[in-house]
Amino acid sequence: MALLDIRNLDLNIYGVPVLRGVSLSIAAGETLGLVGESGSGKSMTALATMQLLPRGASARGSIRLDGEELIGRDERAMCALRGRDISMVFQEPMTALNPLKTVGAQVSEVFRLHLGAPRAECDAWASQVLERVGLPPARYAPDRYPHELSGGQRQRVVIAMAVALKPKLLIADEPTTALDVTTQAQILTLMRALVAEDGASLLLITHDLAVVAETADRVAVMRRGEVVEEGETAAFFGGMTHPYSRALLEASTHVPQRRPRVAPGTVPGTAPAAREGGPILVADGVVREYRGRRAGWFRPAGCHRAVDAVTLSVAPGESVGLVGESGCGKSTLARTLLALEAPQGGRILFRGRDVSSLDAAGIARLRRDVQVVFQDPYGSFDPRHKAGRLVAEPLHLLRGEIDAAERDRRIARVLSDVGLRPEDAEKYPHEFSGGQRQRLAIARALITRPALIVLDEPVSALDVSIRAQVLDLLAELQARHALAYLFISHDLAVVRAITDRVLVMRAGIIVEQGPTAAVLDAPQHDYTRTLVAASPDLARALAERRTRAMPAANGRSADAAVPSA
Amino acid sequence: MTHPADIAPRVPRPFVARALAHPSFLLGGAIALVVAAMALLSFVWTPHEAGAIEIARKLRPPSTEHWFGTDQFGRDVLSMIMRGAVTSMAVSFVAVGIGVGLGVPLGLLAAARRGVLGEAVMRANDFVFAFPALIIAIMLRDVFGPGAVNAMVAIGIFNVPVFARLAYGAALPLWTREFVMAARVAGKGGALITLEHILPNMLNLLIVQATVQLSLGILAEAALSYVGLGVQPPQPSWGRMLNEAQTLMALAPRLALIPGTAIVLTVLGLNLLGDGLRDLLDPRLARER
């Protein structure tokens, strides 16, 4: 019998259907990967299982754990169950932990609440659990507060709380989405090990098919509140039948069609700047420092060097990638290159001229030629302005040169360039979806007909299928307008798909650079190697799964079920 | 062209519909409207001439002729309350005007030009903030003598750092937002960005704060007039009515209770209105309701 058996679960929130006839089951010791895009109902399924639904929710159907019905069970009974039989790991470890309590106390609390044991005993158990998740108390004192730990360490604490009582079912809702790739790999390894040791079942919710391929025994795909396909992992990837699953797989591994670079000057009327020779933008030993808090009255403040002697150049029509983990200085470098912040050392050259020596007209020229697209499709627009006005904002740089009619023509043109309609100019940003907003952001960057666009994590906040569409759009625009891109991302797959050259950045320093394929296929620097190895890769995960399955064919039931894979 | 996976987000309910369903906004708005209507009406009509002394009918209890009775000089209390509403509103409106007019630009300037100038502006604000309105009024009286204008200026000066801090605090995070970055990349300067992006996005906060400061202004005007620093006789004022009623507390408590109730109701109304506006204008709450 299945450990968790969800049958025909319908969920309405204030009358709006969120889940429709969801049926899932997880056997004891099995890992089910629940995949889907945002809003597909993955998290709601998990919350329904925990009976932690938001206000206004009403669930019908059946959720059985070990044969016992959970729907309609009273809150007190659920409290005893939560943490002991079912527990949950959340996406954002900072908000999942209480900032005012030490991590040791928070883990210890799980034991006290459920077992009512004396404090000293609970503390001792807590130390053991922290040791299990790779935070041995000898090295990581349990009397630290969450803010004193790194993101990965915090997630380990959350996991420690979840596995403290060896629950039968562990639910992990996007447990690694907020983490860097190298940390993600460690956390996934840890979770796999813990679940295997305890013989627990794992419901792993994620949007990343590669993560599922690495970890799950079975996969279920959700879309708009329904499970559209379900199957054993290898078989699922081998022969998915539902068109949505296929679309999801296609989008996850999507490589946009990039036409060969347009020879400068062959497309009349586009990007006249591209015809001028020489790089558009050069950073020459750029240093960017932030001053820390002063240590005392007479001691000078310490410095944090966010960007350390970085040298790079972007030529017309070229696509340069900049990869690195969060906090490595990528975005700071981008702001410095955009002349939004002044460097403390080194020079930035725009078409051969030092940016710090440019007058107002020179800066305006720079802004016309170098535009930007930011990561957050929600934060990059003033919510009070209509799309047309937002998109036309950079035309401020051309004031006096173009009249209102030309302005309107350009708005209509860039909107259709990015796949929106000219009528969309009359809408407000909140009327667009995330993907459409990112198209708007690209339209805004295009309107001055720049030579270079700095793209700061432009697809990181998007679902895979929309990400694929936006990448296609970027590739197409680059070919059509002979654009150069500086593409900043933490996602190696995306960088591989869209760039010619790549620079790998770590702690403010460029550790390796070269042609994208060469760097990512045969990394020279240790850090690049770690990064490449840690990045989830669907093809690699499936290959590993096949080799693992062969000797272990008579081992775990889930693997044995598909000798044909 | 639409994209299949793009689902349009829910549109929040219109402002008017939400406003009409919000109890504290409705109650507060109604009280504020009544007080405002009373003040306006007093310009064209009061039951009796406000402030007209007629010793013969002093200390009459409430009757059909004098709804709230008369005071020790035979003045009609209702007429005084109506005229007093004008004083209260005028003083606190002008005071909020001074606070917004000086404080908001200072705060915006400090946020746009951080560093030495911003620090100087904000520390100067801290300095002013250290003096309560009462102290400022006493200082002003020593220089210019007491009067309604001085009360307005004193409360206004007190309001300046309140609005400066609010504007500064609201502008700082806005300056780091991506849409402001985008505006800078579009070549716009500090002044233009402040006008186009920063100020409009903090308008909600300013409106709410202005409502709250309005009620504090009414309270402050009453307090200043009570201690004799505000409006001078014969101009009616709720605060001074309280003061004059003090010696008659045992004889005619209503003379203190009526202006006291007027102050409490008006302040309560404006605070409810401010609370309601904050709920209605805060977009995060707007989706919930």
Side-chain angles (χ1 to χ4, degrees):
Chain A
M1 187 185 62
L3 174 75
L4 178 74
D5 196 8
I6 302 177
R7 288 269 169 84
N8 291 322
L9 177 66
D10 286 323
L11 182 72
N12 291 336
I13 296 179
Y14 290 116
V16 180
V18 176
L19 298 178
R20 277 172 292 192
V22 170
S23 293
L24 287 172
S25 72
I26 307 179
E30 184 184 50
T31 295
L32 175 71
L34 190 55
V35 195
E37 297 187 294
S38 46
S40 63
K42 300 171 304 211
S43 294
M44 278 302 157
T45 309
L47 292 175
T49 309
M50 295 289 281
Q51 292 287 294
L52 288 174
L53 289 167
R55 269 204 301 175
S58 67
R60 273 181 300 123
S62 149
I63 302 175
R64 285 170 190 276
L65 182 76
D66 253 351
E68 284 182 59
E69 181 61 49
L70 298 184
I71 289 182
R73 189 180 272 229
D74 70 27
E75 184 61 20
R76 185 179 295 223
M78 276 314 297
C79 282
L81 207 69
R82 285 183 207 129
R84 186 197 286 257
D85 290 334
I86 320 176
S87 61
M88 191 152 175
V89 175
F90 296 92
Q91 174 173 346
E92 182 47 72
M94 191 66 218
T95 52
L97 292 172
N98 182 343
L100 296 178
K101 287 174 97 174
T102 64
V103 296
Q106 295 188 54
V107 179
S108 169
E109 185 188 53
V110 178
F111 292 104
R112 272 199 297 127
L113 278 178
H114 285 277
L115 307 180
R119 182 178 284 264
E121 212 170 322
C122 294
D123 287 349
W125 285 330
S127 301
Q128 285 173 15
V129 178
L130 285 170
E131 176 117 37
R132 267 191 90 196
V133 297
L135 296 174
R139 277 183 55 212
Y140 304 95
D143 60 357
R144 284 207 245 176
Y145 289 90
H147 71 265
E148 297 175 288
L149 303 177
S150 71
Q153 290 168 342
R154 276 182 222 137
Q155 195 62 304
R156 282 172 195 267
V157 174
V158 174
I159 292 171
M161 290 169 71
V163 300
L165 294 165
K166 307 207 162 142
K168 295 175 201 156
L169 174 65
L170 182 64
I171 300 176
D173 188 357
E174 303 268 9
T176 55
T177 307
L179 305 175
D180 282 322
V181 274
T182 49
T183 322
Q184 159 166 309
Q186 293 162 8
I187 293 290
L188 286 174
T189 310
L190 172 71
M191 288 188 37
R192 279 195 293 265
L194 289 173
V195 168
E197 273 172 42
D198 293 351
S201 305
L202 173 65
L203 174 61
L204 177 68
I205 297 174
T206 177
H207 63 276
D208 192 333
L209 283 177
V211 167
V212 168
E214 277 175 11
T215 309
D217 301 315
R218 278 194 309 122
V219 184
V221 180
M222 285 193 77
R223 184 197 193 190
R224 294 185 188 166
E226 287 173 290
V227 176
V228 296
E229 188 163 4
E230 192 186 350
E232 191 282 327
T233 304
F236 170 82
F237 283 105
M240 38 182 83
T241 52
H242 195 281
Y244 179 71
S245 314
R246 284 207 211 123
L248 208 58
L249 179 65
E250 204 284 321
S252 310
T253 53
H254 184 76
V255 177
Q257 279 276 301
R258 297 187 62 211
R259 275 175 251 165
R261 267 211 257 161
V262 187
T266 50
V267 184
T270 54
R275 275 178 236 127
E276 300 160 23
I280 305 167
L281 206 59
V282 172
D284 180 15
V286 167
V287 173
R288 185 80 184 83
E289 284 174 340
Y290 289 106
R291 236 176 348 147
R293 194 168 279 277
R294 279 164 79 130
W297 279 102
F298 299 105
R299 260 176 296 169
C303 266
H304 171 63
R305 196 165 266 215
V307 175
D308 194 357
V310 167
T311 298
L312 66 84
S313 76
V314 186
E318 189 184 29
S319 183
V320 180
L322 181 64
V323 291
E325 296 186 298
S326 54
C328 78
K330 303 182 302 263
S331 293
T332 306
L333 176 60
R335 284 198 299 274
T336 313
L337 289 175
L338 290 162
L340 292 174
E341 290 174 7
Q344 272 81 38
R347 296 180 307 159
I348 292 169
L349 303 173
F350 167 64
R351 298 197 186 283
R353 288 173 62 198
D354 193 329
V355 167
S356 63
S357 71
L358 289 179
D359 56 1
I363 290 286
R365 188 71 235 172
L366 164 77
R367 300 240 176 276
R368 255 171 101 151
D369 264 9
V370 184
Q371 277 290 319
V372 64
V373 173
F374 292 106
Q375 169 178 3
D376 182 7
Y378 296 89
S380 52
F381 296 106
D382 189 331
R384 294 172 172 272
H385 295 176
K386 285 182 179 170
R389 180 169 173 193
L390 292 167
V391 163
E393 187 159 44
L395 291 182
H396 178 71
L397 292 161
L398 278 67
R399 59 190 183 280
E401 278 177 47
I402 59 170
D403 55 13
E406 168 66 10
R407 177 177 175 275
D408 290 344
R409 263 198 302 280
R410 284 217 188 181
I411 294 173
R413 176 130 167 234
V414 289
L415 285 178
S416 52
D417 259 1
V418 298
L420 297 169
R421 293 167 308 163
E423 302 91 272
D424 288 333
E426 291 302 308
K427 290 204 228 162
Y428 285 96
H430 72 257
E431 297 176 67
F432 294 95
S433 68
Q436 289 172 329
R437 280 188 222 204
Q438 212 56 326
R439 287 169 188 269
L440 271 187
I442 296 168
R444 174 170 63 190
L446 280 177
I447 203 160
T448 56
R449 298 181 183 152
L452 167 65
I453 300 182
V454 175
L455 302 146
D456 190 355
E457 303 267 9
V459 295
S460 302
L462 305 177
D463 275 324
V464 278
S465 61
I466 295 165
R467 173 181 305 186
Q469 291 168 5
V470 171
L471 286 177
D472 277 342
L473 174 69
L474 287 172
E476 182 205 322
L477 290 172
Q478 179 169 39
R480 192 170 350 143
H481 297 300
L483 286 168
Y485 288 153
L486 178 62
F487 196 100
I488 299 171
S489 180
H490 67 277
D491 188 333
L492 296 187
V494 168
V495 167
R496 186 193 285 269
I498 196 122
T499 64
D500 308 310
R501 233 164 20 95
V502 69
L503 297 97
V504 182
M505 193 169 182
R506 185 197 194 183
I509 300 168
I510 303 289
V511 295
E512 185 169 357
Q513 56 179 306
T516 304
V519 170
L520 298 186
D521 289 337
Q524 298 301 308
H525 192 277
D526 282 346
Y527 177 68
T528 319
R529 259 182 238 136
T530 318
L531 210 57
V532 171
S535 294
D537 183 327
L538 194 56
R540 195 179 61 211
L542 290 174
E544 276 171 17
R545 174 167 288 277
R546 275 191 289 274
T547 51
R548 245 189 306 153
M550 264 182 272
N554 53 355
R556 292 175 61 186
S557 60
D559 281 350
V562 277
S564 59
Chain B
M1 161 180 170
T2 53
H3 302 279
D6 289 1
I7 305 159
R10 263 197 300 161
V11 182
R13 283 164 65 199
F15 180 82
V16 178
R18 283 185 293 122
L20 289 178
H22 196 290
S24 68
F25 175 81
L26 281 183
L27 185 61
I31 293 173
L33 274 181
V34 166
V35 175
M38 208 165 74
L40 285 179
L41 182 65
S42 77
F43 283 113
V44 291
W45 178 82
T46 47
H48 296 267
E49 198 191 329
I53 295 174
E54 201 175 322
I55 302 294
R57 54 172 199 205
K58 68 174 185 180
L59 290 176
R60 296 249 175 96
S63 65
T64 45
E65 203 197 340
H66 301 283
W67 288 8
F68 288 169
T70 61
D71 68 0
Q72 68 271 40
F73 301 114
R75 293 175 295 192
D76 179 50
V77 173
L78 176 59
S79 307
M80 301 262 289
I81 290 284
M82 287 173 69
R83 260 302 159 73
V86 177
T87 313
S88 286
M89 289 234 159
V91 169
S92 73
F93 263 104
V94 173
V96 167
I98 293 172
V100 172
L102 290 177
V104 172
L106 281 176
L108 290 174
L109 176 75
R113 296 240 183 289
R114 302 185 41 200
V116 180
L117 180 62
E119 273 303 298
V121 168
M122 292 319 290
R123 294 300 79 78
N125 267 308
D126 290 349
F127 182 77
V128 176
F129 205 53
F131 294 92
L134 199 63
I135 305 277
I136 300 174
I138 291 171
M139 293 195 302
L140 285 175
R141 193 220 24 204
D142 284 347
V143 182
F144 301 108
V149 175
N150 283 350
M152 289 178 191
V153 174
I155 303 169
I157 291 175
F158 168 78
N159 276 339
V160 169
V162 172
F163 283 99
R165 284 178 168 192
L166 182 77
Y168 179 74
L172 275 191
L174 284 172
W175 271 102
T176 63
R177 292 279 294 275
E178 286 186 344
F179 65 80
V180 173
M181 289 283 184
R184 290 177 63 196
V185 173
K188 292 187 175 171
L192 198 53
I193 291 179
T194 298
L195 272 182
E196 282 189 9
H197 295 296
I198 307 286
L199 188 58
N201 275 294
M202 62 164 67
L203 219 50
N204 291 350
L205 273 177
L206 291 179
I207 291 171
V208 171
Q209 190 66 42
T211 323
V212 171
Q213 291 308 117
L214 218 52
S215 78
L216 286 179
I218 284 172
L219 213 53
E221 186 275 328
L224 290 180
S225 298
Y226 178 77
V227 296
L229 294 171
V231 179
Q232 296 303 302
Q235 212 182 338
S237 148
W238 294 349
R240 238 195 34 261
M241 288 170 76
L242 273 181
N243 180 334
E244 288 165 0
Q246 203 168 227
T247 50
L248 300 163
M249 264 313 272
L251 200 60
R254 74 188 148 80
L255 290 183
L257 286 177
I258 290 168
T261 310
I263 294 168
V264 167
L265 270 182
T266 312
V267 170
L268 178 75
L270 285 170
N271 272 318
L272 285 176
L273 186 66
D275 266 6
L277 277 174
R278 189 178 49 225
D279 287 357
L280 292 170
L281 295 175
D282 191 327
R284 274 165 306 177
L285 292 170
R287 287 199 187 188
E288 302 276 311
R289 283 183 184 273

